[in-house]
Amino acid sequence: METLEILGKHLAVDKDGNLVNRADWNEEIARAIAAQEGIGELTDRHWAVIRAMQKAFDRDGDAPSIRRLTNESGVDVKTLYQLFPKGPAKKAAKIAGLPKPKGCI
Amino acid sequence: MDRVSVIVSHGSLEGVYPALIMANGARMEGIEVSLFFTFFGLEPIIERRMDHLQVATVGNPAMHIPTLIGMLPGFPTLVTSMMKKEMEKLDIPPVREFLQMIHDAGAEIYACKASVDMFHFKKQDFWSGVDDIISVGEFYEKAADGQIVFT
């Protein structure tokens, strides 16, 4: 099992580098992952997306991809790409401590 | 991969969607995207036509229906509405919404000048999200150092 060093802890990650254990996740870890991913400071809008993603995952068992993420978070596509420039669904899932979304759309 | 340029050359519903899914998927991976619509591929970016694309029910062996059935009046409409329902279940939006989504995601959308001239289209015939009408030379300039996907 691969691990990622975050805040001095070695946490288990999958092949995409996303956390394996949700229990390892907390807001401090999220901020550290965001920094590693080049997202920078997490604003309220980032958090709205991250929370919406976790909520959808807990309900559906899969992290939402772009179209569903806009509906779940109420944040439009343009803004999602401004918040998470290198792929909103993928990056937000990583910061949220979830596996990469499986959906294609 | 940093950049992909997707060429759309078909105007049927099933001919257009693969390109849109590839383009959107690339943006989701953080890859820069441009879409280049050419020949009958202009259909999905013509304002008055983009909401009315249909599945080709004739000349397609993978439909598994006899050509004579595929020709019946109303049959393409029926098949098209069935396919749209299935796509909605998979969260695949209609053409206009999908193109808007891809454009909002930062993809550039271009019409092929040679095709525009051939079909006698004017700038005002196009959907407002079209960034420009460009020549094939300009397309290659924009595609430089990236991958090109022809659909």
Side-chain angles (χ1 to χ4, degrees), chain A residues 65-68 77-78 81 85-87 90 100 103-105, chain B residues 21 24 27-30 88 91-93 97-98 101 104-105:
Chain A
S65 48
I66 291 294
R67 193 194 191 201
R68 213 146 46 81
V77 174
K78 248 184 214 171
Y81 276 91
K86 288 280 173 186
K90 162 171 120 159
K100 185 178 170 179
C104 289
I105 310 298
Chain B
I21 294 171
N24 181 62
R27 287 302 299 132
M28 281 168 55
E29 289 296 319
E88 187 58 47
D91 233 358
I92 305 178
E97 187 193 331
F98 209 174
M101 204 171 112
D104 286 348

Side-chain angles (χ1 to χ4, degrees), chain A residues 67, chain B residues 82-92:
Chain A
R67 193 194 191 201
Chain B
M82 279 164 61
M83 190 179 269
K84 281 182 173 170
K85 268 183 212 149
E86 288 303 316
M87 289 195 295
E88 187 58 47
K89 279 188 214 161
L90 294 174
D91 233 358
I92 305 178

Side-chain angles (χ1 to χ4, degrees), chain A residues 12 19-26 29 50-51 53-59 93 96-99:
Chain A
L19 291 185
V20 172
N21 303 311
R22 183 76 170 277
D24 288 339
W25 187 89
N26 58 44
I29 296 284
I50 292 164
R51 297 286 180 208
M53 199 135 212
Q54 291 174 332
K55 204 173 147 197
F57 182 87
D58 291 340
R59 189 188 59 222
L98 304 172

Side-chain angles (χ1 to χ4, degrees), chain B residues 35-39 42 45 110-123 126 130 132-139:
Chain B
L35 274 161
F36 187 66
F37 294 82
T38 187
F39 271 75
L42 289 178
I45 54 168
Y110 299 110
C112 157
K113 186 171 188 316
S115 311
V116 172
D117 292 346
M118 187 179 72
F119 288 114
H120 304 291
F121 285 130
K122 302 268 183 302
K123 182 97 178 107
F126 287 92
V130 174
D132 205 357
I133 298 168
I134 63 172
S135 69
V136 69
E138 288 170 300
F139 165 75

Side-chain angles (χ1 to χ4, degrees), chain A residues 22-96:
Chain A
R22 183 76 170 277
D24 288 339
W25 187 89
N26 58 44
E27 291 189 2
E28 202 188 350
I29 296 284
R31 278 190 285 272
I33 297 173
Q36 285 185 2
E37 294 293 319
I39 304 292
E41 202 71 22
L42 292 179
T43 64
D44 288 350
R45 288 200 297 181
H46 287 99
W47 282 113
V49 175
I50 292 164
R51 297 286 180 208
M53 199 135 212
Q54 291 174 332
K55 204 173 147 197
F57 182 87
D58 291 340
R59 189 188 59 222
D60 305 330
D62 185 19
S65 48
I66 291 294
R67 193 194 191 201
R68 213 146 46 81
L69 186 55
T70 59
N71 296 335
E72 300 280 353
S73 65
V75 178
D76 63 41
V77 174
K78 248 184 214 171
T79 311
L80 280 176
Y81 276 91
Q82 281 161 8
L83 295 172
F84 305 94
K86 288 280 173 186
K90 162 171 120 159
K91 293 291 180 192
K94 183 173 264 186
I95 295 167

Side-chain angles (χ1 to χ4, degrees), chain A residues 1-23:
Chain A
M1 180 70 73
E2 286 179 55
T3 60
L4 183 70
E5 192 181 339
I6 305 170
L7 303 171
K9 290 180 207 151
H10 291 272
L11 304 178
V13 292
D14 62 18
K15 64 175 172 46
D16 301 312
N18 295 27
L19 291 185
V20 172
N21 303 311
R22 183 76 170 277

